Amino acid sequence: MSRPRDLHDAQPQDFTGLSALVTGGASGIGRATADLLAARGARVAVLDLNPEQVDKPLTAFRADVSDDASVRAAVTEAVAALGGLDILVNNAGIGAQGTVEDNDDDQWHRVLDVNVLGIVRTTRAALPALRASDRAAIVNTCSIAATAGLPQRALYSASKGAVLSLTLAMAADHVREGIRVNCVNPGTVDTPWVGRLLDAADDPDAERAALAARQPTGRLVSAGEVAGAIAYLASPLSGATTGTALAVDGGMQGLRLRPVGQ
């Protein structure tokens, strides 16, 4: 199985002259996306709870996507710094484990507030700037959990199912304004959050092996591979693509392989 190309390999410059805003862009998928868009010519700003982790050529602003005033202020600053906005990547989110019995009401409200309403707040604040662009695109980070039943992920799956439906509704609402809306559905990605889950497991090595094995490629997805899919959907080269959910899951959703040796 071939490995993903390095981010610093020669990149097309299809984002030259465009500006992009990435939420949750200080680490993981968000950081890989921000770096890739910048490498391909975009001016990129990041919204994150930890903007101090971001360095040039990216510009970072502190924002809490669960707080509307914080989001509006940060988006206003970012759009001013960028000189406009063409691309919004709604990536900020949090995880949750457990069955429907295991998370209390406060946890349900918190995860839905960040993962779903966070997209609503950021998009709402960014729409005036996006409407002024002639190449506007929104990409939401969803999950394979929106389309496949995963054990111990009831709350997280519910939030990402909402993101999938929200993406389709947004695409329908804004297509005639020239704004494309799509989402990516990653499988299990090798991110800091997954790393923390593995660290908390009784046997981290066995847990990592189990997560890798459930993806037909036999390995975790890299943050860079998800970033590549986000860039594909955000690029002006994908101008006819809207209302699409792109799986980046090592074949987890669509493939049904026979066990090895059979």
Side-chain angles (χ1 to χ4, degrees):
M1 182 69 62
S2 62
R3 303 301 295 179
R5 293 177 59 194
D6 188 87
L7 177 66
H8 300 290
D9 290 349
Q11 296 287 350
Q13 295 297 296
D14 47 330
F15 291 96
T16 297
L18 301 182
S19 57
L21 181 60
V22 182
T23 68
S27 64
I29 293 169
R31 182 56 184 269
T33 300
D35 286 341
L36 181 58
L37 294 178
R40 287 168 62 168
R43 302 182 303 277
V44 183
V46 162
L47 301 190
D48 201 277
L49 289 171
N50 301 294
E52 68 280 355
Q53 296 179 5
V54 178
D55 48 20
K56 293 183 178 180
L58 308 177
T59 305
F61 302 89
R62 189 185 188 284
D64 178 355
V65 297
S66 68
D67 181 278
D68 189 58
S70 171
V71 169
R72 287 183 182 275
V75 169
T76 298
E77 282 189 272
V79 170
L82 293 170
L85 187 63
D86 303 288
I87 297 153
L88 172 62
V89 179
N90 283 309
N91 172 74
I94 55 177
Q97 291 182 284
T99 72
V100 74
E101 294 180 293
D102 295 327
N103 304 114
D104 62 22
D105 283 7
D106 287 343
Q107 289 174 299
W108 276 86
H109 287 302
R110 172 63 177 162
V111 172
L112 292 170
D113 192 25
V114 172
N115 290 2
V116 184
L117 286 172
I119 291 176
V120 172
R121 294 183 185 102
T122 308
T123 303
R124 190 166 55 199
L127 273 172
L130 290 170
R131 289 185 177 113
S133 170
D134 61 358
R135 288 172 286 183
I138 299 171
V139 184
N140 299 327
T141 300
C142 191
S143 172
I144 191 66
T147 57
L150 304 181
Q152 297 291 316
R153 292 292 187 274
L155 169 51
Y156 182 73
S157 297
S159 74
K160 292 302 185 177
V163 170
L164 177 58
S165 294
L166 178 61
T167 298
L168 298 175
M170 288 167 57
D173 285 338
H174 302 295
V175 64
R176 290 179 178 169
E177 295 179 308
I179 301 172
R180 299 184 299 109
V181 187
N182 296 286
C183 67
V184 291
N185 287 5
T188 304
V189 185
D190 201 354
T191 62
W193 182 71
V194 169
R196 288 190 292 272
L197 290 181
L198 293 172
D199 290 341
D202 292 336
D203 186 338
D205 290 340
E207 182 64 16
R208 175 177 283 273
L211 291 177
R214 73 181 183 180
Q215 298 180 132
T217 52
R219 63 174 176 84
L220 301 186
V221 179
S222 75
E225 288 169 319
V226 183
I230 291 172
Y232 165 76
L233 293 171
S235 172
L237 298 176
S238 300
T241 304
T242 192
T244 292
L246 177 56
V248 191
D249 60 0
M252 185 177 171
Q253 170 63 28
L255 304 185
R256 301 293 184 270
L257 304 188
R258 296 174 65 179
V260 175
Q262 294 188 15

